[in-house]
Each structure stands twice: as structure tokens, then as C-alpha cells.
Amino acid sequence: MSQFAAAFGAALTTVGVGAVMVARNWPTATGRHRAPRESAEAELLRPIEALDQFEAYCPAEDRPTLQLHLRLGGSVCTECHNPTTSTTTGVTQ
């Protein structure tokens, strides 16, 4: 191998290693400046609805579960998110 080829290979390697070091340290967006996102469940409820909770029969779960009153009427199950428009309990004793 000639001296020119060896020097060219060493220079090319040095440039490649330098480029990798610069690329790894390049500033990237971390997302810390954004407000934290709420979970999908929290986005479905309005703050006033989250305060009005009661236990009632859920037909999808086939058992009494925690329900939330909705502003426009009806309720929604907190476990399966099944909307219910009737006010009957469905529990037979």
C-alpha cells in the first residue's frame, strides 16, 4: 500500500469518527417544553363530570360498577366506558 493511500484512509477515518461524534451530540428536541399530556380517560371527562360519581349496575360488566353522571343525561361506566341512558339499576334481589 502506498503512503498516499494510507494517509488518505487515515484522514477519511478521522473525518468519519468526527462526524459520528458531532451527530451524537447534536441537540435534539426533548419535548420538555411541552405540557404533559393527560391519559385518554382523563380527556374524555370534563372536570365537573369527574366529581359526580356513583355506583350502579353496568350491563356490559354485568355487575355494579362506579359510574359518572354526564352533563347531557345518562351515565358512563368508569371501567368499560359503556354509556348508559337509563336510570334503572337492573339488579334483581
Side-chain angles (χ1 to χ4, degrees), residues 21-60:
M21 289 176 60
V22 167
R24 286 188 177 184
N25 292 323
W26 197 263
T28 58
T30 60
R32 289 186 213 149
H33 61 283
R34 296 185 184 111
R37 296 212 45 165
E38 295 181 1
S39 66
E41 288 182 19
E43 290 179 0
L44 296 175
L45 302 175
R46 295 174 187 89
I48 193 69
E49 292 171 349
L51 298 176
D52 194 10
Q53 300 176 358
F54 65 100
E55 189 171 306
Y57 176 78
C58 176

Side-chain angles (χ1 to χ4, degrees), residues 3-92:
Q3 291 178 349
F4 176 76
F8 185 71
L12 192 59
T13 301
T14 304
V15 169
V17 169
V20 168
M21 289 176 60
V22 167
R24 286 188 177 184
N25 292 323
W26 197 263
T28 58
T30 60
R32 289 186 213 149
H33 61 283
R34 296 185 184 111
R37 296 212 45 165
E38 295 181 1
S39 66
E41 288 182 19
E43 290 179 0
L44 296 175
L45 302 175
R46 295 174 187 89
I48 193 69
E49 292 171 349
L51 298 176
D52 194 10
Q53 300 176 358
F54 65 100
E55 189 171 306
Y57 176 78
C58 176
E61 294 281 328
D62 196 28
R63 63 186 173 91
T65 60
L66 188 64
Q67 304 274 327
L68 299 172
H69 278 292
L70 298 176
R71 184 177 57 169
L72 299 176
S75 62
V76 65
C77 178
T78 58
E79 295 182 19
C80 66
H81 303 290
N82 183 39
T84 306
T85 55
S86 84
T87 57
T88 58
T89 60
V91 178
T92 58

